[in-house]
Amino acid sequence: MQLTAEQEAIRDVVREFAVEEIQPVAEECDANETFPEDVWDGLADLDLTGLTVPEEYGGYDADPLTYAVVNEEVAYGTLAVATALSVHCLATSCIAEFGDEDQKERWLPEMVDGRPVGAFCLSEPGAGSNPAQMTTTAERDAGGYVISGDKQWITNGRRAGVYIVFAKTAPEEITQFVVPGDADGLSVGEPEEKLGLRASDTTSLTFDDVRVPAENRLTPEGKGLSAALSILTGGRIGIAAQSVGLAQDALDRAVDYAQEREQFDGPIADIQSIRHKLADMHTTTQGARLHVHDAARQKAAGTDGFPTAASMAKYVASENAMDVTNEAVQIHGGYGYTREFDVERLYRDAKILTIYEGTSQIQKTVIARDLLG
């Protein structure tokens, strides 16, 4: 599946940025658990923080395949930055798709420039894979709503200035709201201590009688869950693409190491078992990339099979990232288990790809449902 000349040019620009600006700070940011804000500003300078914003509001309005290509290349730099960007794009997508003209004019032009940062607030301590069980509520009040409850695993939790919040307006009705970061009653928890993705800003949020005006409601009452699932289905392509980018980074590092590391009177790349590992890693990563491109093209065409294609891409690519980073560590031997080599960080980062925006088990449920009816 060939990219257009424009898509290839975008890929090359983002890859150069990833190699020159993101990768050099990735290890330090992981070790210190800090997000590289200078890198974020660089993404904004490249117009990447406006990927999912229509052109009339200053955005890039990328097609699904271009969006996937950008996500792959940013993740080649480091997954923490790619995750922050994709969540920001989830937030802008919600406003662009479900907001009225006033809401779009209010929020999108500034978010295109990367500030305020967007966050997507769906998961809760007791409602991750089953958002219908959320307990956060939005009760009608004079001129608006009062939001109360807790959210968990919120990427860009501390950095964000705009939160897309899902809350129940009735026992069986979920509604979507825009909540500004300076809203009274909104408090941000301490950053989570995580296995990987340590440079990513991940927190809990507490809404203690947060009042928002009626014009901050994005969807009609009761239409929020279907909106969330619609946005997340498209978002799975981005996560799948990030999985490919991370796997490609691990593969490239393994190839370089195998050609440089000498054992048994020659580079270990001459050993058949190492060569076969690299061949498998290359083949499965390219297969995952083709899944991603197919899902992106199906989304662009609006085919009925798009949701299943997105789940297949996310499932295959995320599991492949786990496999490839595992083999990259193995090829590095004892060195791969130390912080001296980046494959250790890539291995830790890869695990989250099989969990967020729908676990591998959720993706298999979607695929089987389509297969079996």
Side-chain angles (χ1 to χ4, degrees):
M1 296 182 182
Q2 294 297 312
L3 302 177
T4 66
E6 180 180 1
Q7 288 166 338
E8 289 181 349
I10 292 170
R11 178 197 63 196
D12 294 344
V13 167
V14 182
R15 171 61 70 91
E16 181 180 8
F17 182 82
V19 171
E20 295 185 359
E21 303 295 334
I22 305 178
Q23 286 187 349
V25 301
E27 178 60 30
E28 179 183 359
C29 288
D30 176 82
N32 296 331
E33 299 184 69
T34 56
F35 187 84
E37 295 294 348
D38 289 346
V39 166
W40 184 260
D41 293 336
L43 294 176
D45 290 341
L46 292 174
D47 296 328
L48 300 184
T49 47
L51 276 178
T52 59
V53 176
E55 292 179 0
E56 57 263 40
Y57 304 101
Y60 185 83
D61 200 16
D63 64 272
L65 183 54
T66 300
Y67 181 75
V69 168
V70 169
N71 271 273
E72 177 181 338
E73 297 306 331
V74 175
Y76 190 85
T78 189
L79 184 62
V81 172
T83 300
L85 179 62
S86 66
V87 169
H88 176 79
C89 289
L90 281 180
T92 57
S93 293
C94 287
I95 298 171
E97 185 164 341
F98 304 110
D100 60 27
E101 190 60 32
D102 289 342
Q103 291 167 333
K104 294 175 186 178
E105 288 283 359
R106 178 182 177 188
W107 301 107
L108 292 180
E110 290 186 353
M111 295 180 77
V112 162
D113 295 331
R115 312 284 179 180
V117 176
F120 186 85
C121 309
L122 181 65
S123 295
E124 297 188 358
S129 294
N130 186 10
Q133 296 299 310
M134 72 172 56
T135 59
T136 298
T137 60
E139 296 183 357
R140 275 192 171 278
D141 190 31
Y145 296 82
V146 178
I147 301 176
S148 299
D150 298 294
K151 296 294 181 180
Q152 190 78 30
W153 322 120
I154 306 304
T155 297
N156 297 333
R158 284 179 170 258
R159 304 177 60 242
V162 175
Y163 297 90
I164 305 300
V165 179
F166 297 84
K168 285 190 171 180
T169 45
E172 302 300 325
E173 293 183 355
I174 294 174
T175 306
Q176 184 179 192
F177 298 87
V178 182
V179 178
D182 60 358
D184 290 339
L186 170 59
S187 59
V188 181
E190 291 299 314
E192 300 286 351
E193 297 182 3
K194 307 185 297 294
L195 168 71
L197 212 67
R198 290 165 56 86
S200 176
D201 170 24
T202 310
T203 71
S204 60
L205 298 176
T206 297
F207 297 84
D208 185 8
D209 291 341
V210 174
R211 296 178 182 274
V212 295
E215 55 263 30
N216 282 33
R217 192 188 70 208
L218 274 181
T219 56
E221 291 187 1
K223 301 297 184 182
L225 183 56
S226 60
L229 296 178
S230 171
I231 291 293
L232 286 174
T233 298
R236 284 169 181 164
I237 296 176
I239 302 303
Q242 292 172 20
S243 302
V244 173
L246 186 147
Q248 188 67 56
D249 186 16
L251 170 59
D252 290 349
R253 293 177 189 277
V255 168
D256 289 345
Y257 184 82
Q259 292 174 322
E260 296 168 0
R261 173 68 166 163
E262 293 197 357
Q263 289 282 284
F264 308 107
D265 300 321
I268 63 173
D270 289 345
I271 300 172
Q272 187 180 62
S273 61
I274 300 295
R275 297 172 74 88
H276 285 183
K277 282 183 183 295
L278 294 171
D280 285 340
M281 294 158 71
H282 176 55
T283 301
T284 56
T285 299
Q286 179 62 8
R289 181 178 288 112
L290 294 176
H291 265 290
V292 173
H293 288 193
D294 176 62
R297 287 194 166 94
Q298 289 202 42
K299 181 183 180 186
T303 66
D304 292 339
F306 154 63
T308 301
S311 284
M312 290 184 355
K314 205 269 186 183
Y315 169 54
V316 168
S318 63
E319 293 291 341
N320 177 67
M322 278 297 298
D323 293 341
V324 168
T325 54
N326 178 57
E327 292 289 32
V329 170
Q330 197 71 17
I331 288 169
H332 280 71
Y335 287 113
Y337 199 66
T338 70
R339 297 184 70 99
E340 182 179 352
F341 287 83
D342 285 306
V343 291
E344 178 266 347
R345 170 175 53 84
L346 299 180
Y347 179 67
R348 288 187 288 105
D349 281 355
K351 182 58 188 173
I352 192 60
L353 292 163
T354 68
I355 297 173
Y356 62 11
E357 291 199 35
T359 64
S360 291
Q361 289 69 36
I362 291 293
Q363 306 312 323
K364 288 193 281 188
T365 296
V366 172
I367 295 163
R369 183 188 300 133
D370 180 65
L371 180 66
L372 299 172

